[in-house]
């Protein structure tokens, strides 16, 4: 039995709590949140004990912590949980600062505790299927990776202002996906971006429309595009072109129904947003973490993956600012 | 809170137990099964009390019974549950004999207890979407309904022998779906059938490949085809052609990935069988039952729907035997 | 060089003239039509000589006749062309009367002239691909054939009245397709039908919506449905379910463009009607005829295929009238 | 009647000859080729007169010239045809050198003769449909254009060596398409590229895999990717994401047939290469030219479009070489 202590009982914490209740051999033992009502509500649903974060982290009722609190709290919680010898599941980004992530890596490695950076999309059954088939050689050598990722609508401007910017908040998922699919580290980053969706985003110094090009040492290429708006739902597509074929994962639609009339053949919009679209991914992600911890097997993506995605996002931000390609590593 | 007593802890009972644990306001209070270990295993997962069937039916801890036992036990359980004033959710078919179903109707109506015949496919989000759009007039008047329903592989011959035959065991779902989509009662039934999949099925006096044509008083037409084998997964498609357009629900595939190579563009097989394909339908079905019982609203499909589907299946069997069209009603 | 004499310069005659001009080794030598202007117009485009039908048939400038005149003229033209020793390409139906078709068969066989009944759909590249893959064993033994065939809109009522009825005018194509795909002769026919599209069609004693079920001696099943209306274009789909898989040919759409917005993902309507949809089929059909004549190889579908489709249409009409299944052969 | 003189009777010249014979009001009056047999063969098919190029250009039997000769001959032919006052249809690229294209522009503008640069893809019915719907506002403001263009297999290395490189030979079509769809001139170009397909291409100083990013003054973004190899056929897709929706044109497949079995659902490969894929585009392109010349209406794409695409290709080549973004205009 893996007893989980949940730090943060907001939307994502609730997702992980629900996943945990469906997993054999996993229980939610304790929950903590800055808002007591949020913690109590989740405790009622799961049978967990409400604790304050420090008590939770050091509780002998807790084997692993799931960190779903605001990003600026991750650093402290990771250090404390490492010190307490707990396995750590941490929402992305690990931290806004690459240097601070490096300090977290030092702490985690010193304590030798299991760590997962929660890049949930790696666990989407479709994307995971693509990656495993690449590894099995089904399309030969990877040559071009194309990632299209568009949110249904822009977040509130208050969120944008504290988000770290599109590259670190939104594209970081795609940058991790690029590493996952390329099977090789990017060595160059080039970014362009605009504010086309919401002028307030531009005024806040951020962009809402962006494209990034990555290359690897062997010459593989990845093109990513992002938009903060897609009228037809949450647009999440990947495509990998290889020497022996092409693999692609299309959008998941709200249902399988098609209507035909004078206007043609119409299917449903894409599933609206990440909670629906990645429901199966969230469940598979926590299961992979729990399996890794209980079986003592390696956990991927780890904290170093969190750092590498952050470094790519940082390079993209610099590339946009300086209008030039950046070399990495 | 609706407290459910589960009669039958086999595969379908477990499905309903899982659905119940995910529903707010519903609990599994008691379970019963001819195999004590089956009952105990499900009790352990749900916190329910193991009881014998008679005790469960009359227990004041139970508001509604979910009947998932072998078909030949339904008759007695329905009579007892009616007498005990419990709401009843009953797996299809209600009974193999239309006359005995009529006796059940008498008992249920005399006791005035809520009753749902578990035609789960009506609650599939895709098929339900099709039906609600028909009702909303999106394709005008319904003219032709086409239902294709194929199992991935034939059942064991022992199952076939006690199944009541393809029309009553397998096509009954499609006959109910036809009624659901036509919005009008069939008045004629014509059936053809063969044993092409497994010669043992033919030797047992049954068929494994069949086609039925239904017509209604206003001239609407429904074509159904069934096979006990589909190499590409559980083939479950409906299509409705109307005066102003066409609606169709395509198969649900195992994933959204497509591979392209010299051989072309290939997507995954259809979801393998009913537990995967109708997972969402099972959950929505029990929710509809629970909502109906707790809110006192009408429940559909009811016991009369169970009878009408059975009468269509009986007519199809006779049509096949006598090689002629049967009029109904 | 195969020199063609074109009998009938209407819409279908013009299609064949265009096909002929694109074929190497084929020329349109002569044309005839009851309307001199129609003949002259087509002569101007093709360089052909305008002749009267009798002169055309006996002309030593003509090797083969293409009969695209009204159905009631076919009988005489076939007899004359047979007597003149010309190869014959004849639009379907050969005649409205099975007995008169039998007389044509006698004449054609006595003269031993090549004959093609123009069931153009057999030459559609998609349907031909399906049939050849069936023959190659790609889906094992054929078990269920499903044919959906719907016109975009009903023909003028004047056309309906002289058409011979839906089974002989419209479904005859699908009945021939059923024979083509089943690879085995139907032994039973059952039909239902209604007038749902246009009440005038019903008043004229015909139907506009129909479904037919065929079976073969080995137990294969075919379901056909027809409608005289499809708001989304000319609906032409076939599907063949076999012991080892399923083959289906979907509709051809007007273009490959998809638009996505709040309403979902929408593709174009189906190609509007037969001239667009079967453009490639018409060309391939005439080529197959010309190849057969010039190379002396067997021509399919022949005049006997024309008779067999007609007999199925006749049986369907009787089945509808007498509300019972008909045995054939 | 527009009388065409065809300069160059190779593969592309034959395509245009065939298109011309299908157009009302257009005839092929004269043909010229360095290989007399090629000219004679095409003359035999079209009824044209074989001439030498200079005679053809100045013939009073010729209203317009179609230039399908090797690229290095275009410059002279354009100057001569301009001087002779003939309308000019010229295969892309107009010339390998932007400066020499500018000289051609001077000649064409001085002579005031109609000119079309043969970017055939603008006339593909699918891509033209996308562009006209953009212009009609169907997806609001264009934000991101994605173009994927992959040849089925690399050309002979001899061709590669004289091709001007991937950007000028292959991607130039996509760069023109980008301008066509963006509706606004690119102001920056960034390119990456590798030799992954054929090491000989790398040795020859060229690339076979490439990605380019364009931006416009208003912040629109275009991503293009190219490969000289696609195992699944000629991969030609465009997608345009706008403020109110998304339009995309998928690949055209060899046929509409799908097979289903244990491996899933498989459709045909993409149409193999440009002659099949763009057959309709070639016909529409020549028709647009002929209509423009005979009606005196503006012709698009013109010679300036040829220059602008070339400048983008030049910038891409420089960007790859210098590993930096280039500003344009």
């Amino acid at each position: 039995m893996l007893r989980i202590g949940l730090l943060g009982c907001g939307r994502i914490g609730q997702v992980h709590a629900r996943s945990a209740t469906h997993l054999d051999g996993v229980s939610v033992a304790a929950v903590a949140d800055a808002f007591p009502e949020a913690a109590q509500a989740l405790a009622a649903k799961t049978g967990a004990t409400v604790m304050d974060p420090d008590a939770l982290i050091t509780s002998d009722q807790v084997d692993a912590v799931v960190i779903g609190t605001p990003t600026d709290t991750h650093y402290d919680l990771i250090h404390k949980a490492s010190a307490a010898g707990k396995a750590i599941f941490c929402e992305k980004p690990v931290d806004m600062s690459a240097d601070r992530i490096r300090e977290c890596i030092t702490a985690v490695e010193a304590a030798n505790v299991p760590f997962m950076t929660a890049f949930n999309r790696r666990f989407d059954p479709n994307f995971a299927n693509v990656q495993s088939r690449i590894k099995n050689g089904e399309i030969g050598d990877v040559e071009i990776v194309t990632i299209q990722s568009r949110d249904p609508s822009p977040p509130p401007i208050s969120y944008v202002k504290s988000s770290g910017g599109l590259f670190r908040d939104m594209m970081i998922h795609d940058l991790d996906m690029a590493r996952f699919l390329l099977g090789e580290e990017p060595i160059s980053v080039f970014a362009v971006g605009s504010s086309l969706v919401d002028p307030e985003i531009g005024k806040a110094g951020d962009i809402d429309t962006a494209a990034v090009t990555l290359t690897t040492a062997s010459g593989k290429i990845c093109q990513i595009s992002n938009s903060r708006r897609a009228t037809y739902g949450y647009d999440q597509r990947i495509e990998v072109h290889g020497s022996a074929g092409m693999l692609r994962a299309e959008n998941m639609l709200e249902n399988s129904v098609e209507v035909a009339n004078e206007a043609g053949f119409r299917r449903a919009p894409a599933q609206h947003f990440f909670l629906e679209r990645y429901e199966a991914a969230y469940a598979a992600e926590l299961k992979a973490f729990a399996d890794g911890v209980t079986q003592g097997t390696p956990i991927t993506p780890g904290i170093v993956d969190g750092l590498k995605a952050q470094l790519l996002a940082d390079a993209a931000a610099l590339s946009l600012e300086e209008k030039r390609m950046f070399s990495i590593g």
Side-chain angles (χ1 to χ4, degrees), chain A:
Chain A
M1 179 62 71
L2 183 75
R3 299 164 306 168
I4 284 178
L6 207 58
L7 294 159
C9 298
R11 190 166 55 177
I12 196 67
Q14 292 165 31
V15 166
H16 294 312
R18 189 160 51 236
S19 296
T21 61
H22 293 185
L23 285 175
D24 287 334
V26 176
S27 67
V28 182
V31 295
D33 198 281
F35 294 91
E37 321 78 63
Q40 263 138 22
L42 205 51
K45 278 196 191 163
T46 58
T49 307
V50 176
M51 298 187 183
D52 74 60
D54 286 352
L56 182 152
I57 289 172
T58 56
S59 167
D60 61 6
Q61 300 302 308
V62 166
D63 303 312
V65 296
V66 168
I67 302 178
T69 51
T71 301
D72 57 9
T73 67
H74 289 184
Y75 180 92
D76 277 350
L77 295 172
I78 290 170
H79 277 78
K80 286 177 179 168
S82 297
K86 306 299 187 192
I88 302 170
F89 175 105
C90 184
E91 275 305 316
K92 69 93 216 169
V94 175
D95 192 274
M96 287 297 187
S97 148
D99 282 342
R100 281 163 59 94
I101 299 178
R102 288 194 182 92
E103 292 173 32
C104 291
I105 292 178
T106 304
V108 166
E109 293 187 344
N112 196 24
V113 292
F115 191 103
M116 176 177 275
T117 305
F119 284 122
N120 57 306
R121 294 183 194 175
R122 290 195 183 206
F123 299 93
D124 173 67
N126 307 298
F127 297 167
N129 179 277
V130 168
Q131 195 258 359
S132 76
R133 289 161 78 170
I134 292 171
K135 287 190 84 168
N136 289 341
E138 190 167 335
I139 57 166
D141 295 325
V142 169
E143 295 176 349
I144 302 173
V145 172
T146 307
I147 301 175
Q148 278 161 306
S149 172
R150 299 165 188 163
D151 286 351
S153 52
I157 194 69
S158 57
Y159 176 90
V160 169
K161 285 178 177 168
S162 65
S163 70
L166 179 140
F167 295 115
R168 292 183 191 92
D169 176 60
M170 180 178 177
M171 197 183 280
I172 194 165
H173 278 291
D174 306 301
L175 294 165
D176 179 67
M177 184 56 61
R179 293 183 60 242
F180 185 55
L181 298 173
L182 285 166
E184 197 180 322
E185 295 298 328
I187 60 164
S188 81
V189 180
F190 174 77
V192 296
S194 322
S195 174
L196 300 177
V197 174
D198 181 351
E200 292 302 312
I201 292 177
K203 285 184 201 160
D206 199 1
I207 53 175
D208 49 40
T209 306
V212 158
T213 306
L214 307 173
T215 64
T216 72
S218 74
K220 301 183 200 316
I221 295 169
C222 174
Q223 287 186 310
I224 301 171
S225 73
N226 275 184
S227 171
R228 289 286 196 184
R229 171 181 52 202
T231 56
Y232 45 93
Y234 189 37
D235 192 355
Q236 297 285 292
R237 288 174 286 155
I238 61 171
E239 172 174 327
V240 185
H241 182 257
S243 56
M246 190 251 285
L247 280 162
R248 58 177 169 178
E250 255 292 335
N251 280 311
M252 304 294 287
L253 306 189
E254 285 178 0
N255 58 56
S256 71
V257 179
E258 185 172 56
V259 66
N261 54 34
E262 291 83 351
F265 290 79
R266 182 162 52 84
R267 293 175 298 146
Q271 290 181 345
H272 184 63
F273 210 5
F274 62 94
L275 292 181
E276 299 87 350
R277 173 65 182 81
Y278 289 121
E279 184 180 7
Y282 285 118
E285 171 185 56
L286 195 67
K287 181 175 190 312
F289 173 70
D291 287 351
V293 174
T294 54
Q295 296 162 20
T297 49
I299 289 176
T300 302
I303 191 165
V304 172
D305 295 297
L307 175 63
K308 288 187 170 171
Q310 195 73 12
L311 291 172
L312 290 172
D314 290 348
L318 271 170
S319 172
L320 176 69
E321 196 181 320
E322 304 189 3
K323 293 178 185 293
R324 64 184 181 91
M325 185 183 96
F326 265 73
S327 295
I328 298 268

